[in-house]
Amino acid sequence: MTETMDDAADSALVDKARHGDREAFAELVRGCQAKVFMTIVSFTRNTQDADDLMQDVFVQAYRRLDRFKGRSTFFTWVYRIAVNHTLNFLKRKKREAGRRELDERTVRPADNPASGGPEAEAVREELERRIREAVDLLPLIYRAAFNLVAGQGLSHGLAARALGVTENTVSWRMHRARKMLQAKLGPYLQGGDP
Amino acid sequence: MRCRRSRRFISDKLDGALRPRLGRALEAHLERCPDCRAHERTLRRLDSGASRAGRLDFTPEAGEEFLRRLDRRLDQERQRAGSPVGKRWLWSAAGLTAVAVAVLAWVLVLRPVPSPDIYALSESDVFSRIIDQYSRDPGWETSFNDALLASIDDSTISREESYPTDPWDNPLLWEGVSREELNQLETEIASDAAI
């Protein structure tokens, strides 16, 4: 994943926001809210929870702007707050079955280029559903790494910063997560094009 | 490279995190190992599915709506926190209220109530007053002594007044006297009367 905002513009906006410029802060939020939201919702699978969590995340970020030292981009910094906040939320709530709720006014399925006709599409959708369910059952540390890297496309480096661990740890967790998912989804992953 | 090790590196390869030297070794292994090639295909299928499964778009309307709500919440937070000046006034008011409550509590509950024996003129109070007067007015000492002695005299029953001069007039004498003694006394009185 590339950084979402130009660093210089980023720090200028942060500087203004620190001095109470709310429009500057709104601009910072606009620059990364979609990715932050998608990451949170990939964990919660619930748009209402994700919306509440994202509000908390940006309120925290606004309050702590003084602590932002500019060693990373604003996005990376907020991303870390978001991942921490979401993981804490999930630890508190444990795993709640049946809470999957995606409000279509907030999110919509991304356009996936269809190939192979309706039957192949149905098979693919079924596989995706099974993968989602299997990922949701992973232990949280593996699920977090897998969601960020395989789901959101983060590099090991960014995922490591977001999770507060080393890149080696992310690498190991990805390997373990894939192994667990493979064991669970084995028959569905055999054959066919990826 | 063995298969077990190769599978660990296949995971890194899919994430674009494999170092070039290891990458070359892995590719060499994959070329001659059909099992590991199949393993790689399986993982690619898994990743592809996971990536599509989580792919959603955040609608622009939702983004703007979110910003409006965030703005309102930040306003509320700021009002709740208050300005620094407002905070100082708030703390001052709180401090003054606390002092007022403490004073009131002291007056109503904790203030030492004057001991009732001051009004009943305790011995210690009386004597401390007398000693005080003594020290300030030496003449007062004499008059006080006279008054004190007079009051002692007044309150003391004189021997003559307190006891009957004739022992027979004392009723207590008769209560402890036995019948024999009574008879003897009667005889003596009779003989006295005869005299």
Side-chain angles (χ1 to χ4, degrees), chain B residues 24-194:
Chain B
R24 284 192 295 275
L26 176 65
E27 292 307 325
H29 176 82
L30 288 173
E31 264 181 38
R32 62 177 185 274
C33 179
D35 283 351
C36 285
R37 282 203 300 276
H39 179 76
E40 184 183 356
R41 277 198 300 278
T42 304
L43 291 192
R44 280 193 186 280
R45 197 167 150 78
L46 170 68
D47 275 22
S48 170
S51 162
R52 275 199 308 270
R55 202 180 298 157
L56 295 162
D57 282 340
F58 191 51
T59 61
E61 306 80 51
E64 284 310 307
E65 174 57 25
F66 173 79
L67 275 173
R68 276 194 290 277
R69 274 181 287 121
L70 179 66
D71 212 41
R72 278 200 296 274
R73 189 162 157 196
L74 289 175
D75 275 340
Q76 286 168 0
E77 294 262 326
R78 194 171 53 184
Q79 279 167 9
R80 210 176 299 150
S83 67
V85 176
K87 267 186 181 172
R88 270 206 295 278
W89 276 108
L90 199 68
W91 280 111
S92 307
L96 285 173
T97 309
V99 169
V101 168
V103 168
L104 199 65
W106 184 82
V107 168
L108 295 177
V109 183
L110 302 171
R111 183 170 58 97
V113 177
S115 168
D117 60 9
I118 286 180
Y119 300 107
L121 289 177
S122 67
E123 280 183 15
S124 61
D125 186 58
V126 168
F127 284 116
S128 66
R129 285 184 189 193
I130 293 166
I131 290 163
D132 187 45
Q133 287 286 348
Y134 268 26
S135 59
R136 280 189 281 135
D137 181 5
W140 192 85
E141 182 184 350
T142 317
S143 56
F144 177 79
N145 278 342
D146 291 346
L148 188 64
L149 289 172
S151 88
I152 292 169
D153 278 347
D154 285 348
S155 59
T156 307
I157 302 167
S158 64
R159 179 172 285 272
E160 292 77 12
E161 284 173 341
S162 60
Y163 296 104
T165 47
D166 193 338
W168 320 121
D169 293 335
N170 185 358
L172 292 174
L173 176 74
W174 302 107
E175 283 184 12
V177 176
S178 64
R179 182 153 295 280
E180 285 177 7
E181 287 170 319
L182 277 174
N183 289 336
Q184 197 177 344
L185 282 169
E186 192 180 7
T187 311
E188 282 179 16
I189 290 166
S191 61
D192 283 348

Side-chain angles (χ1 to χ4, degrees), chain A residues 52-165:
Chain A
D52 292 344
L53 288 168
M54 186 159 78
Q55 278 224 14
D56 293 344
V57 167
F58 283 113
V59 167
Q60 270 188 42
Y62 187 73
R63 277 196 213 135
R64 296 179 187 177
L65 274 175
D66 280 345
R67 296 189 211 170
F68 176 65
K69 305 291 179 207
R71 286 194 287 263
S72 61
T73 62
F74 178 75
F75 168 69
T76 312
W77 183 66
V78 164
Y79 206 76
R80 176 150 192 196
I81 297 175
V83 170
N84 265 336
H85 198 56
T86 307
L87 294 180
N88 285 337
F89 168 82
L90 292 174
K91 279 178 204 160
R92 275 200 309 273
K93 297 206 96 172
K94 304 287 177 195
R95 209 172 263 127
E96 287 184 22
R99 292 203 68 246
R100 192 168 300 170
E101 259 177 54
L102 298 176
D103 185 347
E104 287 178 2
R105 285 166 302 176
T106 311
V107 290
R108 61 178 169 226
D111 293 333
N112 288 321
S115 61
E119 200 178 320
E121 184 64 21
V123 171
R124 196 158 55 212
E125 277 178 14
E126 173 66 7
L127 175 64
E128 286 169 18
R129 186 183 64 79
R130 286 183 183 277
I131 289 176
R132 257 199 312 269
E133 286 173 0
V135 170
D136 287 351
L137 290 173
L138 285 175
L140 196 53
I141 54 168
Y142 300 109
R143 184 177 159 199
F146 191 81
N147 266 341
L148 294 180
V149 177
Q152 301 297 310
L154 262 68
S155 66
H156 282 191
L158 270 179
R161 263 188 277 172
L163 294 169
V165 296

